Amino acid sequence: MIVLPYKFDTTNDLLTSRAGLLSIAQLMETLNQTERIDQHFPLPKSNRGYKPSTFIKTLILMQHEGSFHLDDIRHLQEDEALRTVLNLDKLPSATTLGDWLRRMGKVPSIEDAWVAVNQAVLQSALHRCKEVTLDIDATEIIADKTSAQWTYNKNKGFMPMVGHIAQTGQIVAVDFREGNVPPAQDNLAFIRQCQQSLPEGCTLNALRIDSAGYQTKIIAYCDEHGIEYAIRAKSSASMRAQFEAASDSDWQPLIDKKGEPINGEDTYRTSFCIGDYERAFTLIVQRKAIQGQTNLELESENNADELSIGGYIYRAIATNRDELSDSSIVHWYNQRAEDSENRIKELKLDFGGDTLPCSDFKANALYFLISALSYNIFALMRALLPEELSHHRATTLRWRLYAIAAKVVKTGRQLFVKLKEKHRTLLEQVLTALKELKPPPI
């Protein structure tokens, strides 16, 4: 057996393996998060209590580190070097964090406080952009909690509705719902909630939503307020009749983003009405040839979004963007998978959105909002990072940026963070970019 030539020893030096968390801490300081949070969230009733900024910033640091359980606060508590640099003299315990979430979750105006803090993050990312595209989608959170209800997927959990700004990928609003609430319920009210949660001077210009939004009142609302939309249409008997009545000459090849026709896929444009709403909209019908499968009729009939007819799978998109080609509408609608569905995956997997800490419904709703704020801050930081880092998920940045080893040295009134040369260069580059951000006034 070969014994490696080493010896163990101890040191009293302040060491950390999380020096890169300075980046997210600096961004929160640049955004004046401490002042904004304490301005809008309820303050403690005694001078001995932690301010709300301490709770929220602690949770954000934990989530960026990759810790999604309240007990993981010990990672930061035991990192004296990092706490010294971030001036975190004392952190709340896991029990105190849980108590605060349960107490604040019961405050009626707590979501308004979150919106006020979140608007500054959105405005910093949007810059001069005054019109945005909204993508909304419901997502299932499986959780064995006392307050959880059975979802339509036959899992116990919750079914929050999440609204994203397509231009930045950030979350503008959340409606945290019971698991048994249908995804199509109160979607118009949620669209209005998203509009009200936008920064001042920013308006909703376009909407993309799946078949849960295929409702008369949503289409009428978009027409009334000049909102462009692309909504996945639910199949119906009258829609099927139109598909079957279309001749071969009505169909055009679906063109990919490179300008080439896609084999076996075609589009067809027609007008259609829904419910008692008399104003017609454009229906872009897609059909895709069934290859290697002889009978999907029964499977497709159970899917409200598609129909199987004569060797083709048919799907449709309702839209009022008549100036665009059929293929452009299809590609624009499909972008929501990147702008909304994939971002929700990041929220849940990378920032603990699917790891709810409490049995209390309202406490979990608040925690989910804080996860959304944490994700939004990350999305803003990612846009400011050097090119080699700006396209990565948090899981990658945790080991490329956050997990940097450093030694913290205090000499007199000076505080030094000592790193390897390549890590120092990277961190200085990141911190310089974050310090140059101009946040909106408080």
Side-chain angles (χ1 to χ4, degrees):
M1 181 180 68
I2 299 176
V3 179
L4 297 177
Y6 64 84
K7 291 184 178 179
F8 286 114
D9 203 350
T10 60
T11 179
N12 292 323
D13 293 337
L14 295 179
L15 306 175
T16 180
S17 61
R18 305 174 179 86
L21 284 177
L22 276 168
S23 56
I24 201 63
Q26 178 59 60
L27 181 54
M28 287 193 286
E29 289 302 313
T30 303
L31 291 169
N32 301 311
Q33 288 292 79
T34 300
E35 293 82 357
R36 293 184 196 278
I37 293 170
D38 291 338
Q39 178 183 353
H40 296 287
F41 280 77
L43 294 171
K45 296 181 179 180
S46 70
N47 294 329
R48 293 177 297 174
Y50 293 103
K51 291 185 177 180
S53 58
T54 301
F55 289 106
I56 294 177
K57 290 170 66 176
T58 297
L59 287 170
I60 290 174
L61 285 173
M62 289 172 57
Q63 290 162 351
H64 276 261
E65 184 205 24
S67 300
F68 307 141
H69 300 277
L70 298 185
D71 285 340
D72 293 335
I73 184 63
R74 67 182 185 276
H75 298 160
L76 297 181
Q77 289 172 332
E78 294 170 358
D79 195 332
E80 184 181 352
L82 181 66
R83 288 194 294 105
T84 299
V85 177
L86 300 184
N87 197 26
L88 298 174
D89 296 331
K90 189 177 179 183
L91 293 175
S93 66
T95 301
T96 306
L97 280 171
D99 289 342
W100 182 81
L101 287 170
R102 285 184 286 271
R103 188 170 64 254
M104 288 298 106
K106 294 180 174 65
V107 176
S109 61
I110 201 67
E111 189 169 331
D112 294 335
W114 179 86
V115 168
V117 174
N118 189 53
Q119 283 176 336
V121 181
L122 299 180
Q123 191 171 339
S124 298
L126 286 168
H127 300 294
R128 298 179 181 178
C129 181
K130 298 300 182 184
E131 296 181 339
V132 299
T133 298
L134 174 66
D135 294 313
I136 70 175
D137 202 4
T139 183
E140 181 186 47
I141 298 177
I142 301 174
D144 187 18
K145 302 293 184 180
T146 305
S147 59
Q149 302 291 331
W150 291 100
T151 72
Y152 67 89
N153 288 325
K154 299 181 181 179
N155 298 310
K156 284 196 72 175
F158 306 94
M159 192 66 70
M161 185 68 71
V162 182
H164 277 88
I165 295 175
Q167 283 76 2
T168 63
Q170 291 171 306
I171 298 165
V172 63
V174 172
D175 183 9
F176 196 80
R177 300 177 174 182
E178 302 279 7
N180 57 358
V181 176
Q185 182 170 313
D186 296 331
N187 279 348
L188 179 56
F190 182 65
I191 292 169
R192 291 195 181 106
Q193 179 184 337
C194 291
Q195 286 182 287
Q196 295 167 359
S197 301
L198 288 170
E200 185 177 356
C202 189
T203 59
L204 175 59
N205 178 61
L207 171 69
R208 296 183 298 207
I209 184 173
D210 61 16
S211 59
Y214 188 62
Q215 303 173 21
T216 302
K217 55 186 178 182
I218 290 179
I219 292 176
Y221 181 82
C222 290
D223 288 340
E224 180 183 352
H225 292 83
I227 300 172
E228 299 176 338
Y229 61 84
I231 303 173
R232 176 65 69 190
K234 292 181 181 178
S235 58
S236 63
S238 58
M239 196 177 290
R240 181 182 186 120
Q242 282 206 344
F243 298 167
E244 293 176 329
S247 63
D248 290 340
S249 60
D250 293 326
W251 295 92
Q252 303 295 326
L254 178 62
I255 307 300
D256 64 20
K257 293 181 179 180
K258 296 181 180 179
E260 299 295 328
I262 301 175
N263 185 40
E265 297 192 40
D266 305 291
T267 62
Y268 156 59
R269 178 179 294 226
T270 186
S271 295
F272 202 74
C273 290
I274 179 175
D276 56 357
Y277 187 51
E278 296 180 355
R279 183 171 174 177
F281 53 82
T282 297
L283 199 68
I284 305 299
V285 184
Q286 303 165 252
R287 72 175 185 183
K288 182 176 182 180
I290 301 172
Q291 299 178 354
Q293 301 180 63
T294 58
N295 189 359
L296 291 181
E297 190 74 30
L298 292 176
E299 180 181 344
S300 295
E301 287 296 334
N302 291 328
N303 191 333
D305 298 349
E306 63 184 37
L307 288 170
S308 174
I309 308 172
Y312 288 94
I313 294 292
Y314 291 80
R315 305 182 79 191
I317 299 170
T319 185
N320 60 356
R321 299 196 68 181
D322 297 335
E323 77 283 2
L324 296 183
S325 67
D326 297 0
S327 298
S328 296
I329 291 291
V330 171
H331 296 316
W332 184 61
Y333 174 82
N334 288 342
Q335 283 177 7
R336 66 180 295 275
E338 169 65 22
D339 295 330
S340 183
E341 294 176 6
N342 287 342
R343 299 311 182 206
I344 288 176
K345 290 179 183 177
E346 287 191 60
L347 167 65
K348 293 167 65 176
L349 299 179
D350 298 353
F351 291 91
D354 63 348
T355 309
L356 302 176
C358 303
S359 297
D360 183 80
F361 175 83
K362 293 182 178 180
N364 287 330
L366 176 56
Y367 180 84
F368 193 82
L369 284 173
I370 295 173
S371 296
L373 178 63
S374 185
Y375 169 77
N376 283 351
I377 293 173
F378 171 78
L380 173 59
M381 185 186 73
R382 184 163 55 182
L384 301 171
L385 289 176
E387 181 66 24
E388 65 269 21
L389 297 177
S390 61
H391 302 292
H392 292 295
R393 285 175 51 175
T395 48
T396 300
L397 290 183
R398 283 188 182 115
W399 61 267
R400 292 194 61 177
L401 176 61
Y402 293 162
I404 292 177
K407 178 180 177 181
V408 178
V409 179
K410 299 170 68 174
T411 58
R413 295 185 179 181
Q414 293 292 318
L415 188 65
F416 295 93
V417 180
K418 297 189 175 184
L419 314 98
K420 290 186 65 175
E421 182 62 32
K422 67 175 184 178
H423 292 155
R424 173 184 170 177
T425 301
L426 172 63
L427 198 51
E428 283 186 337
Q429 186 180 5
V430 170
L431 293 175
T432 299
L434 299 181
K435 291 174 183 177
E436 292 176 352
L437 178 68
K438 303 298 182 183
I442 298 178

